[in-house]
Amino acid sequence: MSHEVPKADQESRKMTKNESKSDLPGKKYEYESSAERNTSTVPQGVPEAGVRKLTFASDTKDTRELNQELSEAVNADARPDTSSAENPESAEKGSTFLMPEEKDENFTLRLNDKGLQDTPLLTFESQNLKRLFLHNNELKTLHLNVGNLTNLEILLLERNRLTCLPPEISFLHKLTVLNVSHNQLLYLPKEFSKLVNLKELFLNHNNMDEFPFALRSLETLELAGNKLKTLPDAIVDMEKLKLTQIPEELSKLVCLRELDISHNALKEMPDSIGELECLVHLIANNNDISQLPKSITSLRNLQHLDLSENRLKSLPAGLHHLHLLKDINFDGNFLFEPLKDLCRGKQLHPILCYLESANERDEKILRKMIEVIADNVASENFEFFCQKLQLRQADIKSLENTRTLKLKEKIIKALDIWISENQDLTYAEMVDKLIRILVMTGMYDLTNKVKALKLYSQMVKF
């Protein structure tokens, strides 16, 4: 990213370039401005393009001092200075603020992590402010003057002590991201519905018992950790809103018969989905789900399952336990052959037969791998191998001290313990994990033997 520096500024810099710091007038604080982006302090989801930062050499928590610093910075018409790029150590010592010149169209101000109990009033005097970071402070109220920031697009207030937001927040018509999570909010002002351009709203972990608004522009809404009793009926009209995760509280709806979570941005289903024992219809097409939890095989009343247009690469072998399942759709996933072709036919019986056979094959591969490993681990490597399996030290010592067992039998016992502690994995996943463990032990000859066994076994048709 580049900034054009006025010619007058270039001339003044040439005049002062050779001056030592001791020759410059003394100031209480040292200011540094840089076009370098500081990703370590930017919360997730906030773009960094066009951001300048101003570094204060001391960490200020007193609001009056901070007002004075901000005033000095504004009056000094802060501009980009390449000195901080030449001396990065100085930038690391201070606390980061962003105070670009008034003409900057991407004016970002960082006042996060300062222990502030009040917001400096000068914060609300710039009409060009686009991003205001006030997270991780001690704020109990947000000043009414926040309404002056009519060009503000991103406001981060998470992890403060706010109990309410001022009605004047409704004047922020350009606001697209608002994060007030981890506060003590009891309610939102009725004027909140005027934020017609709001796309991302984070309200999680507050004390709200209702969310009475249906903001049609919303794409992300987080409400977890509140005391909500109802949602607005108009929430169904929020067409752009997409779920990114299913709340664990869903498992409490034990009488639920139909669940439609299609056309969202879900990446996974929670394990608690298996507790919905009465579920008959599960519709989750057009998401980003890459793996199904094993618990889905507990939905014994399930008859209709639509997981089309996701990112599934495999299906759980236990689907054959769902005896009532008769209507399925796995189209548009990343399934491996021949499972992909089988699913295209939407005939449940051949799919279940394949999954059951594949599971049996993977179990046999695992058992053959165990035999090969047991024949190739030397006695001096036994303890080290068990440690890589992450067995308990007591189990390792017990196996080492059992004189009635030969070395091969001890290794098989150790691997049986490892299997029992990894029951959340499928046999195919256990095979892959065991190969990774062998790589970590440095037993490369043994690793190659096991890999060859896996490849050969998978080539066998069944």
Side-chain angles (χ1 to χ4, degrees), residues 29-34 36 38 52-59 69 73 78 84 87-99 110 114:
Y29 299 99
E30 176 185 345
Y31 300 101
E32 295 178 357
S33 179
S34 169
E36 178 184 353
N38 183 2
R52 299 179 190 171
K53 67 180 181 181
L54 177 69
T55 301
F56 288 79
S58 67
D59 190 9
E69 294 178 41
S84 62
N87 185 17
E89 292 183 3
S90 62
E92 294 176 0
K93 295 178 182 178
S95 55
T96 302
F97 294 76
L98 297 169
M99 283 292 296
R110 299 179 192 275
K114 300 297 163 194

Side-chain angles (χ1 to χ4, degrees), residues 37 49 96 117 124 130 141 145 157 178 193 195 208 255 270 293 336 342 375 393 400 402 416 436 445:
R37 290 180 292 191
T96 302
Q117 296 183 3
F124 309 111
K130 291 288 187 72
T141 58
N145 287 2
L157 290 160
L178 175 60
S193 59
L195 298 176
M208 296 169 51
C255 296
F336 297 113
L342 290 172
D375 286 331
Q393 194 62 33
E400 286 181 325
T402 304
D416 285 340
R436 291 195 297 271
D445 289 340

Side-chain angles (χ1 to χ4, degrees), residues 74 102 120-129 145 148-149:
V74 172
E102 193 69 13
L121 292 179
L122 280 173
T123 303
F124 309 111
E125 291 190 5
S126 174
Q127 294 294 315
N128 288 333
L129 188 59
N145 287 2
N148 296 339
L149 305 177

Side-chain angles (χ1 to χ4, degrees), residues 130-380:
K130 291 288 187 72
R131 302 169 183 170
L132 177 56
F133 298 169
L134 286 164
H135 51 285
N136 295 323
N137 280 298
E138 302 291 332
L139 301 176
K140 295 182 180 179
T141 58
L142 183 61
H143 202 279
L144 305 182
N145 287 2
V146 70
N148 296 339
L149 305 177
T150 52
N151 286 305
L152 196 67
E153 296 177 359
I154 297 173
L155 177 57
L156 305 183
L157 290 160
E158 71 267 28
R159 298 188 185 278
N160 278 282
R161 298 185 180 183
L162 299 173
T163 57
C164 64
L165 295 176
E168 286 76 8
I169 200 171
S170 63
F171 298 146
L172 308 182
H173 298 301
K174 294 185 179 181
L175 196 66
T176 60
V177 178
L178 175 60
N179 192 336
V180 284
S181 61
H182 296 274
N183 276 280
Q184 300 169 20
L185 294 179
L186 299 171
Y187 61 91
L188 296 175
K190 61 182 181 180
E191 294 84 359
F192 197 83
S193 59
K194 296 180 181 179
L195 298 176
V196 294
N197 289 309
L198 197 61
K199 292 182 178 180
E200 299 182 34
L201 177 57
F202 302 90
L203 292 167
N204 41 307
H205 300 285
N206 279 283
N207 295 320
M208 296 169 51
D209 60 6
E210 66 174 353
F211 179 72
F213 310 106
L215 302 171
R216 293 178 182 272
S217 59
L218 270 188
E219 297 176 8
T220 300
L221 173 61
E222 293 198 6
L223 292 167
N226 278 281
K227 301 176 181 178
L228 296 178
K229 298 176 182 177
T230 60
L231 289 174
D233 293 336
I235 200 168
V236 297
D237 297 325
M238 298 165 66
E239 297 176 353
K240 296 183 179 180
L241 186 60
K242 291 187 176 182
L243 290 172
T244 56
Q245 62 181 11
I246 301 174
E248 289 291 337
E249 290 79 6
L250 184 71
S251 61
K252 297 176 182 179
L253 306 177
V254 292
C255 296
L256 191 66
R257 291 177 57 83
E258 181 171 348
L259 176 60
D260 187 340
I261 48 176
S262 60
H263 296 274
N264 279 292
L266 299 172
K267 296 186 183 300
E268 62 181 4
M269 285 189 184
D271 288 332
S272 58
I273 195 78
E275 297 177 29
L276 304 178
E277 297 179 355
C278 295
L279 200 64
V280 176
H281 303 279
L282 176 55
I283 306 169
N285 56 289
N286 293 88
N287 280 284
D288 295 319
I289 300 170
S290 59
Q291 187 174 11
L292 297 176
K294 273 190 172 182
S295 61
I296 199 172
T297 61
S298 301
L299 303 176
R300 302 301 169 89
N301 288 302
L302 196 64
Q303 297 179 27
H304 176 206
L305 177 60
D306 186 351
L307 284 160
S308 59
E309 304 300 333
N310 277 283
R311 297 180 176 273
L312 295 174
K313 294 181 179 180
S314 61
L315 299 176
L319 282 181
H320 66 274
H321 294 305
L322 305 181
H323 301 296
L324 298 179
L325 189 60
K326 54 188 178 183
D327 185 10
I328 57 169
N329 190 347
F330 296 113
D331 291 349
N333 281 281
F334 300 151
L335 298 170
F336 297 113
E337 301 289 357
L339 183 57
K340 184 176 181 179
D341 281 339
L342 290 172
C343 289
R344 194 174 290 123
K346 295 183 176 60
Q347 297 297 314
L348 187 60
H349 181 69
I351 295 174
L352 296 183
C353 288
Y354 172 86
L355 292 174
E356 193 169 359
S357 298
N359 191 54
E360 291 174 0
R361 179 202 62 187
D362 292 332
E363 184 180 10
K364 290 177 181 178
I365 294 174
L366 181 62
R367 284 297 163 190
K368 288 179 181 178
M369 284 177 58
I370 290 174
E371 289 290 330
V372 172
I373 293 170
D375 286 331
N376 288 274
V377 174
S379 58
E380 60 268 23

Side-chain angles (χ1 to χ4, degrees), residues 23-47:
D23 296 328
L24 297 176
K27 285 189 178 181
K28 186 176 182 182
Y29 299 99
E30 176 185 345
Y31 300 101
E32 295 178 357
S33 179
S34 169
E36 178 184 353
R37 290 180 292 191
N38 183 2
T39 56
S40 63
T41 56
V42 180
Q44 185 177 2
V46 177

